[in-house]
Amino acid sequence: MPKEIKRVRMLVTPEGVPLPLELGDAGQRAGAFLIDMLILVGSIVAITIFLLFVSKSIPGKGIDRVLGLIWTIGLFLLRNFYFTWFEARPRGATPGKRALGLRVIARHGGRLTLDSVIARNALREVEAFLPIMLMVASLATRGYQSWILICALGWTAIFLLMPLMNRDRLRAGDLLAGTWVIRVPKRPLLPELSADAEETLFTEAELDAYGVYELEMLEQVIRQAQPAAVATVTLTIAQRIDRRHWSDDGGPRDLAFLHTYYAALRGRLEHKLLYGKRRADKHDRG
């Protein structure tokens, strides 16, 4: 069986729509983590150089303590909230994951919650940061203990190799939080669908029923064009916006309805973005 097919999993959305998704492989995840770590380390180095420059420029006895406190707080925020901040956003991906075409989703098909994001990234402290700090501290002190270094390396290796030991490529954080890391190939948002949309007008209230997350899921359904999924999503949208629609069980009529709604919803969201308003999903009232 080709590797690409082995990584495909079926995700059922809360609306009952089955969507085939491709999991990110271990190499892609490792590459994304490496990019994120380079960004983190680069940010820490830049902050350190900036604070040293400030320290040299501003005389005073207490300035070094103040700058040291700022550096410590900055390091704490970067280490603990870098991954959480980016993965809690609608795209569910850090810069490293976006560069490699990956994103984090909930395995139950629903919305990725802040609790899940915090849980999967809190465990990263135990998986990577804690043994790394232990190794650095061991090497930096005169009382260098080789057994500490070996234990820390073994600890790190166990967690780093965990994605290779299960078929879903889950790290410990994914197991705890109930998440998958899937592939999201880069592609533009379907301009051809907008051009194919039939002449149906939707009111602003009908378009305000959904947000960016639902727009992306709708895009996947339209691209895959599986009759069962098309019929289910068409019925779900029609019921949510209280609009009558004669369904042809996922045939051309349903697909045209989805094309039209997609084009209108996309235009609505882009128009609101011009005024600084971004609606993440149907639960977002902001």
Side-chain angles (χ1 to χ4, degrees), residues 154-165:
W155 180 290
T156 305
I158 290 172
F159 284 107
L160 287 180
L161 295 177
M162 184 174 286
L164 299 177
M165 301 176 186

Side-chain angles (χ1 to χ4, degrees), residues 123-285:
L123 209 58
R124 199 186 301 277
E125 184 76 16
V126 179
E127 291 176 303
F129 292 139
L130 185 61
I132 289 174
M133 290 180 64
L134 200 59
M135 285 188 282
V136 172
S138 176
L139 292 172
T141 57
R142 292 185 177 179
Y144 169 78
Q145 297 290 333
S146 59
W147 67 270
I148 294 179
L149 190 60
I150 293 173
C151 289
L153 283 171
W155 180 290
T156 305
I158 290 172
F159 284 107
L160 287 180
L161 295 177
M162 184 174 286
L164 299 177
M165 301 176 186
N166 61 83
R167 62 190 298 270
D168 283 356
R169 299 292 181 259
L170 303 176
R171 46 172 278 258
D174 292 316
L175 289 170
L176 177 67
T179 53
W180 268 334
V181 176
I182 63 167
R183 289 204 66 229
V184 185
K186 292 182 178 179
R187 58 195 175 201
L189 271 178
L190 299 180
E192 70 274 17
L193 293 185
S194 303
D196 292 342
E198 65 180 15
E199 293 297 329
T200 301
L201 296 178
F202 293 96
T203 66
E204 292 185 354
E206 290 173 333
L207 298 176
D208 286 340
Y210 295 108
V212 174
Y213 174 78
E214 288 78 20
L215 181 72
E216 293 176 349
M217 298 301 285
L218 179 56
E219 177 185 337
Q220 293 189 43
V221 171
I222 294 174
R223 281 194 178 277
Q224 293 164 0
Q226 297 179 355
V230 169
T232 303
V233 172
T234 301
L235 177 62
T236 301
I237 293 176
Q239 289 178 338
R240 183 172 179 85
I241 64 177
D242 197 21
R243 173 177 282 235
R244 291 186 178 182
H245 172 77
W246 173 76
S247 173
D248 59 353
D249 296 327
R253 183 180 177 83
D254 283 353
L255 199 55
F257 176 84
L258 295 187
H259 279 218
T260 306
Y261 191 77
Y262 173 90
L265 177 59
R266 177 185 170 186
R268 174 71 173 164
L269 293 174
E270 288 178 344
H271 177 75
K272 294 177 77 171
L273 268 179
L274 294 176
Y275 296 93
K277 298 178 180 177
R278 178 183 177 86
R279 189 172 190 208
D281 57 31
K282 62 185 178 184
H283 304 290
D284 184 0
R285 297 300 175 191

Side-chain angles (χ1 to χ4, degrees), residues 57-85:
S57 304
I58 303 177
K61 294 183 179 178
I63 189 65
D64 289 342
R65 291 184 179 178
V66 173
L67 294 178
L69 179 62
I70 293 174
W71 185 87
T72 303
I73 294 174
L75 183 64
F76 172 81
L77 293 176
L78 277 173
R79 200 182 76 184
N80 289 281
F81 296 105
Y82 172 86
F83 290 93
T84 302
W85 164 259

Side-chain angles (χ1 to χ4, degrees), residues 66-125:
V66 173
L67 294 178
L69 179 62
I70 293 174
W71 185 87
T72 303
I73 294 174
L75 183 64
F76 172 81
L77 293 176
L78 277 173
R79 200 182 76 184
N80 289 281
F81 296 105
Y82 172 86
F83 290 93
T84 302
W85 164 259
F86 284 109
E87 291 181 1
R89 298 175 69 79
R91 290 190 174 184
T94 60
K97 287 186 175 66
R98 289 175 62 181
L100 273 293
L102 303 173
R103 70 173 295 182
V104 181
I105 65 168
R107 290 208 300 274
H108 55 65
R111 186 185 184 191
L112 184 65
T113 64
L114 181 61
D115 292 346
S116 298
V117 174
I118 291 175
R120 78 184 302 276
N121 287 300
L123 209 58
R124 199 186 301 277
E125 184 76 16

